[in-house]
Amino acid sequence: GFLYTFIHKTFMEYAAGRYLANLPEDLLLEEISSMYYGPSLEEVLIFAGSLGITDPIANILLNKHYESEKKSLGMLLEITVSAEYPPSKKIRDAAFREAVNRVVSLDKRDAYEYASKLVIACENFPLEIAKYADQYINSDQYWAKLSCITLSLIAKTYTETESLVEFFIDFYGRTRGSGLSSSLTGSL
């Protein structure tokens, strides 16, 4: 066989994306599953998606045919936001629902990581994300409540201003001290 090298990484990623775009779906699944996860893989999948195979790639990632469910969902959200032709609404709904489920999980670090990815995705798909986030606005977990309120504010679906002020006063009082929260409460 031949060994090809590329001076610029983007050429390599484009060529790899083009290669993937020409594979039948069963071989595509095999190839993607065997690849090492890294930033370059995301670029390859974004290039392949721009060549018209976003849905097959998204299906593979959504069905967690990758080494890690977390990496698969992260890549799927990145591709959804970055691809010229995003995955179908059905696939986006499944991805956003799963990401919001991570936001309301017991793992605060994981929750904030997915909330930040959803904030970026809200630029293009605010109502699709808010549909899931709005269900958890009254969560007992502060990180979930804060994240879901943020997503709903971006989507302009949150209207409970008084509850929002009370939440932030309570949140600040619990995390920073009661001095400011009592002075804020007195001024309302």
Side-chain angles (χ1 to χ4, degrees), residues 39 59 64 77 118 163 180 183 185:
N59 268 323
K64 296 160 182 74
L77 292 172
L118 287 170
S163 297
L180 179 62
S183 67
T185 305

Side-chain angles (χ1 to χ4, degrees), residues 5 18-19 35 40 45-46 48 99 101 124 147 159 184 187:
T5 60
R18 188 159 195 82
Y19 167 77
M35 292 178 169
S40 290
L45 296 178
I46 290 168
N101 285 340
N124 298 323
S147 299
T159 57
L184 285 174
S187 67

Side-chain angles (χ1 to χ4, degrees), residues 30-151:
E30 196 176 302
E31 282 291 324
I32 291 175
S33 297
S34 70
M35 292 178 169
Y36 173 74
Y37 172 79
S40 290
L41 178 58
E42 287 179 14
E43 290 301 319
V44 168
L45 296 178
I46 290 168
F47 277 126
S50 71
L51 295 169
I53 62 164
T54 307
D55 275 2
I57 290 171
N59 268 323
I60 290 167
L61 294 173
L62 190 60
N63 292 317
K64 296 160 182 74
H65 287 106
Y66 205 77
E67 64 187 49
S68 160
E69 289 180 24
K70 185 176 181 177
K71 289 177 183 175
S72 292
L73 183 58
M75 272 196 292
L76 177 55
L77 292 172
E78 178 68 30
I79 289 166
T80 300
V81 171
S82 304
E84 186 176 342
Y85 304 102
S88 67
K89 184 170 180 344
K90 180 180 176 184
I91 293 172
R92 290 192 315 263
D93 279 346
F96 296 149
R97 181 177 48 251
E98 179 63 27
V100 169
N101 285 340
R102 301 282 175 104
V103 168
V104 298
S105 73
L106 296 176
D107 183 343
K108 188 176 5 176
R109 187 174 301 209
D110 206 32
Y112 284 137
E113 179 183 336
Y114 282 95
S116 67
K117 291 175 189 236
L118 287 170
V119 164
I120 294 166
C122 262
E123 185 175 318
N124 298 323
F125 310 103
L127 297 177
E128 291 178 32
I129 294 168
K131 172 173 63 175
Y132 300 106
D134 287 352
Q135 299 172 29
Y136 298 103
I137 283 178
N138 295 316
S139 173
D140 291 334
Q141 300 166 330
Y142 278 98
W143 59 88
K145 188 171 190 167
L146 178 62
S147 299
C148 290
I149 287 173
T150 301
L151 294 168

Side-chain angles (χ1 to χ4, degrees), residues 8 22 26-27 37 64-65 83 100 154 156 166 187:
H8 196 288
N22 291 318
D26 59 330
L27 289 177
Y37 172 79
K64 296 160 182 74
H65 287 106
V100 169
I154 292 169
K156 299 179 180 160
E166 289 173 13
S187 67

